[in-house]
Amino acid sequence: MSKQPQLVEPEGDAPEDRFADIRQVLSGLTPRERLLMVAERMFADEGLAACSVRAITAAAQVNLASLHYHFGSKEGLLEAIFAARAKPIADERMRMLAECRKGPGRPPLLEQILTAFLLPALTLGMEPRFGGPAFARLRARLGTEPEKVHQRILSKAFDESSKAFMAALQAALPDLPPADVAWRFHFLLGTMVYTMAYSGRIRSLTDACDPSDQRAALTQLIPFLVAGFRAPSVPESAQPLDFGAGG
C-alpha cells in the first residue's frame, strides 16, 4: 500500500502570500482539502491553462506527488472541485423544480421555474461552505471559455438538471417553439453567469446597482427573464435591424 505524501513547508524567502486571508483555515486542512481550496481560487482568478501544477502545490504547501496521489492531474483536480461544489446546487434546483406547480395563491408557474433555477446558484452557491465567490467566479469562467475539458466538466455537473428545466419551461410555455425556448434559456445562462462573475463593470457606471447583493439581483432578474420568455415567438424570417453604412 502506497504511503500518502506528507505536507511540506515552503523554503527560502517566499513572495507575498496571496492566500493570507485563508492561510489559517488551510493550516487545519488535509493536503487534499488544501489543494481543493487553493486550486479553486487560482482556477477562478487565472483559468485552468494559466495555473501550473507547481504553482498550485506551492500555494497549497504540499509536494507535487500529493496532487497526483489525490487527483491524478490538474484536470482531475478541477473535476473534483466541481463534483463537490456543483452537486448541492443541482440537487437543490431539482428539489425546487419538483415543487413547482400551478395552484391558488401560488406565483405563476414560469416565475416558480425561473426562481428554482436561479436561487440555488445565486444564494446557495455563494455560501462559503459551497465555495462562495471563488466558485461563482470559477463557474462563470468555465462557462465562457471554450476548452473541451471545461465543457465536459460543466456538462457532467449541470446537463441533467438543465435539461429538466428546459423541459419544464417548454411545458409552461407550450405555444413557444422549442428553438425559442432554447435561445431564451441560453440568454438565461448568460445573465446568470455574468451576474455571478461580478466583474464590477456596472459599478463603474452607477451606484444604483450592486450585483454582489444576490437577493437584489434575483429580485431584478426574475421579472426581466419572465418578460423575455413571455415575449412573442420570433418569426423565422426575422432579421436584425440594418441601419446601413451611414447609420
Side-chain angles (χ1 to χ4, degrees), residues 54-193:
R54 289 188 179 276
I56 294 168
T57 54
Q61 297 182 2
V62 302
N63 55 39
L64 287 170
S66 186
L67 187 148
H68 293 291
Y69 175 87
H70 290 292
F71 305 105
S73 66
K74 184 172 64 171
E75 290 76 13
L77 175 55
L78 177 61
E79 194 160 352
I81 292 169
F82 259 78
R85 302 303 199 197
K87 189 177 187 303
I89 296 173
D91 287 350
E92 181 63 7
R93 280 176 170 166
M94 294 302 291
R95 185 194 69 77
M96 292 182 67
L97 181 60
E99 296 182 357
C100 294
R101 63 185 183 278
K102 295 180 179 179
R106 296 182 65 85
L109 184 58
L110 178 59
E111 280 86 337
Q112 293 182 55
I113 295 170
L114 292 174
T115 300
F117 187 81
L118 291 168
L119 182 62
L122 294 181
T123 56
L124 181 68
M126 296 300 288
E127 293 182 14
R129 63 194 175 108
F130 295 122
F135 181 69
R137 295 196 309 275
L138 176 59
R139 167 69 182 86
R141 179 179 285 276
L142 262 66
T144 57
E145 294 186 355
E147 283 85 346
K148 287 184 178 179
V149 64
H150 292 185
Q151 299 308 313
R152 176 176 57 80
I153 290 172
L154 282 174
S155 292
K156 185 175 181 180
F158 293 116
D159 272 9
E160 182 179 356
S161 58
S162 292
K163 287 177 180 178
F165 273 88
M166 289 184 70
L169 288 166
Q170 185 68 74
L173 301 164
D175 296 330
L176 200 63
D180 284 16
V181 172
W183 273 110
R184 294 171 197 196
F185 191 78
H186 167 74
F187 299 138
L188 158 61
L189 293 176
T191 55
M192 179 192 73
V193 169

Side-chain angles (χ1 to χ4, degrees), residues 154-239:
L154 282 174
S155 292
K156 185 175 181 180
F158 293 116
D159 272 9
E160 182 179 356
S161 58
S162 292
K163 287 177 180 178
F165 273 88
M166 289 184 70
L169 288 166
Q170 185 68 74
L173 301 164
D175 296 330
L176 200 63
D180 284 16
V181 172
W183 273 110
R184 294 171 197 196
F185 191 78
H186 167 74
F187 299 138
L188 158 61
L189 293 176
T191 55
M192 179 192 73
V193 169
Y194 189 76
T195 299
M196 291 172 63
Y198 186 48
S199 67
R201 175 64 181 129
I202 192 65
R203 297 288 283 174
S204 71
L205 302 173
T206 176
D207 292 330
C209 170
D210 181 8
S212 67
D213 183 339
Q214 293 87 33
R215 289 285 177 177
L218 188 66
T219 300
Q220 294 288 337
L221 192 51
I222 293 297
F224 173 80
L225 291 167
V226 164
F229 272 96
R230 289 205 176 114
S233 176
V234 179
E236 292 185 5
S237 60
Q239 295 291 328

